[in-house]
Amino acid sequence: MVRLAHDPMERALSLAALGRGRTAPNPPVGAVVVRDGRIVGEGHHAAAGTAHAETIALDAAGPLARGATLYVTLEPCCHHGRTPPCTDAVIAAGIAEVRYAIGDPDPRVAGGGHRALVAAGIRVTAGESAGAAREILRGYLLRRRLGRPWVTAKFAMSLDGKTATRTGDARWISGEVSLAHAHALRDRADAVVVGIGTVLADDPRLTVRPAPGDGHQPGRIVIDTRLRLPPDAALAGPELASGTTIAFGAPDGGADTAASPARDLARAAAALEDRGLTLLGLPLDRCGRVDLRALLDALGERGCNEVLIEGGGELLAGFLALGLVDEIEACVAPIVVGGRGASTPVDGAGVDLIARAGRFDIVDTLRRDRDVWIVARPSGAPMEVTDV
């Protein structure tokens, strides 16, 4: 048993955060069982199909759960899925009180868990640390509401707004501490998204390094309208191909596979599939590129909660123009690059008037060694451009 040093809901939230990027399509949830001022059991949901946080915490508490209080970051489920209802486990364990942060918008729950516990004579309180819980569950909650994952855009730039020199050199604009944070952002994402231009220029691996102890790696998605990914690209290699999806422009308006690509795509599609890559055919937008809304809808249908966009500038411009970026994490390094031809984080057509610029609120600023990170979220309309 562990004597409480902090608020038990804070402990449950910290446990829930361990599941980010790992539990999709399920939410990341943490739970703590408290009896006589001591934590007697705790747990978090580690992956879809495995035991839920409440069950793990109750199993750890054993007989000490009877008469105890359960703190959990999300309303306990009351339906049969790949695991039995958590409400059944809570009732059977003899828990006297349940305190949860926010309700579960899953229509199979949506207050049903709360009602089942109350009907069993358990005291139930909702809303404790609700704001912090929503932050951890943001991807799950957004997908339940809009059908698409939470989108974070990440980039590093110089003081004068450059992401690379005029020759394309970009390693490394940010420092080692910032690079570690960039990999932490990958670690909590279900998928990392880049455009084919970034792949052709940098040949990235898009993996978390060093690899987490649990072996987790996010899915890798390349927006490649005309299937230009070289067969010798790192993402097409034997170590990475099985976890990489190529989103391309399907001539039939969006088949789920490359079963019927246009004749000029057939050979490239077959070669990529032979290497173990997954192909995702999507409709084209009015500019003849992969429809980004359709991409996010497809990822939402697959249960993806959070995605991280890592470039390039044209891709980010497209997401921003459509109002599909929920957060920006921008690293500003104390260097000046210069150059009319040097890259910037956002390309595309841009706006013609400042009044038409996308508006964001800065929600956090952080120093990481010599770099400054700015976290911003939309506060108004997206960029008003005529060409996305």
Side-chain angles (χ1 to χ4, degrees):
M1 293 189 294
V2 179
R3 181 166 293 280
L4 287 171
H6 302 287
D7 179 87
M9 188 61 82
E10 289 184 7
R11 176 59 182 165
L13 289 165
S14 67
L15 291 168
L18 298 175
R20 293 181 71 178
R22 292 153 170 78
T23 63
N26 294 346
V29 178
V32 170
V33 179
V34 175
R35 179 169 179 169
D36 300 328
R38 293 179 180 271
I39 294 176
V40 296
E42 63 180 32
H44 74 279
H45 186 42
T50 66
H52 288 190
E54 300 95 318
T55 302
I56 296 171
L58 292 169
D59 286 348
L64 293 177
R66 186 160 299 277
T69 298
L70 173 68
Y71 292 80
V72 60
T73 56
L74 186 68
E75 177 186 5
C77 67
C78 55
H79 62 89
H80 282 273
R82 282 186 274 186
T83 59
C86 288
T87 49
D88 288 359
V90 173
I91 295 167
I95 286 289
E97 181 178 8
V98 172
R99 304 178 71 89
Y100 68 86
I102 59 174
D104 190 344
D106 185 335
R108 297 171 298 177
V109 185
H114 186 122
R115 292 190 294 271
L117 296 172
V118 170
I122 296 173
R123 297 189 303 275
V124 182
T125 302
E128 187 170 334
S129 300
R134 288 191 186 96
E135 184 63 26
I136 293 172
L137 290 160
R138 64 190 192 181
Y140 173 75
L141 297 175
L142 185 71
R143 182 173 62 82
R144 284 292 178 189
R145 182 165 60 90
L146 298 181
R148 68 165 179 85
W150 178 280
V151 176
T152 298
K154 183 270 295 180
F155 53 81
M157 64 182 183
S158 61
L159 285 173
D160 56 333
K162 306 297 185 182
T163 57
T165 69
R166 58 182 174 78
T167 65
D169 180 42
R171 296 188 179 181
W172 296 104
I173 287 177
S174 58
E176 291 185 4
V177 176
S178 288
L179 287 173
H181 177 65
H183 281 277
L185 293 178
R186 285 183 183 175
D187 185 55
R188 75 184 191 194
D190 297 310
V192 178
V193 181
V194 297
I196 185 60
T198 295
V199 174
L200 295 175
D202 301 334
D203 194 23
R205 297 177 60 83
L206 305 181
T207 55
V208 179
R209 299 186 295 275
D214 62 2
H216 164 73
Q217 290 291 346
R220 296 169 292 277
I221 299 171
V222 180
I223 313 299
D224 185 8
T225 302
R226 295 183 296 278
L227 293 179
R228 294 187 291 151
L229 183 78
D232 60 349
L235 293 175
E239 294 181 0
L240 303 179
S242 63
T244 301
T245 296
I246 309 300
F248 74 106
D252 60 2
D256 236 9
T257 68
S260 57
R263 291 181 183 274
D264 58 336
L265 296 178
R267 184 173 298 177
L272 294 174
E273 285 190 313
D274 285 346
R275 298 189 70 86
L277 293 143
T278 299
L279 297 189
L280 174 62
L282 294 170
L284 301 176
D285 63 18
R286 60 186 177 82
C287 297
R289 295 175 294 212
V290 164
D291 187 313
L292 298 180
R293 286 194 181 95
L295 169 69
L296 292 185
D297 288 344
L299 295 179
E301 290 173 0
R302 287 157 177 74
C304 188
N305 290 328
E306 293 202 42
V307 300
L308 179 67
I309 303 174
E310 293 205 6
E314 293 289 339
L315 181 64
L316 182 51
F319 274 101
L320 286 167
L322 294 171
L324 297 176
V325 174
D326 302 297
E327 181 173 87
I328 289 177
E329 290 233 6
C331 171
V332 182
I335 60 173
V336 173
V337 173
R340 285 185 295 273
S343 301
T344 58
V346 182
D347 294 327
V351 300
D352 55 356
L353 298 172
I354 292 297
R356 295 176 176 173
R359 301 290 173 176
F360 285 75
D361 290 326
I362 295 177
V363 297
D364 204 358
T365 56
L366 299 160
R367 284 290 300 270
R368 290 190 168 91
D369 196 14
R370 299 178 66 233
D371 302 329
V372 174
W373 281 75
I374 299 171
V375 183
R377 293 182 179 176
S379 58
M383 298 188 305
E384 295 182 39
V385 296
T386 57
D387 176 19
V388 299

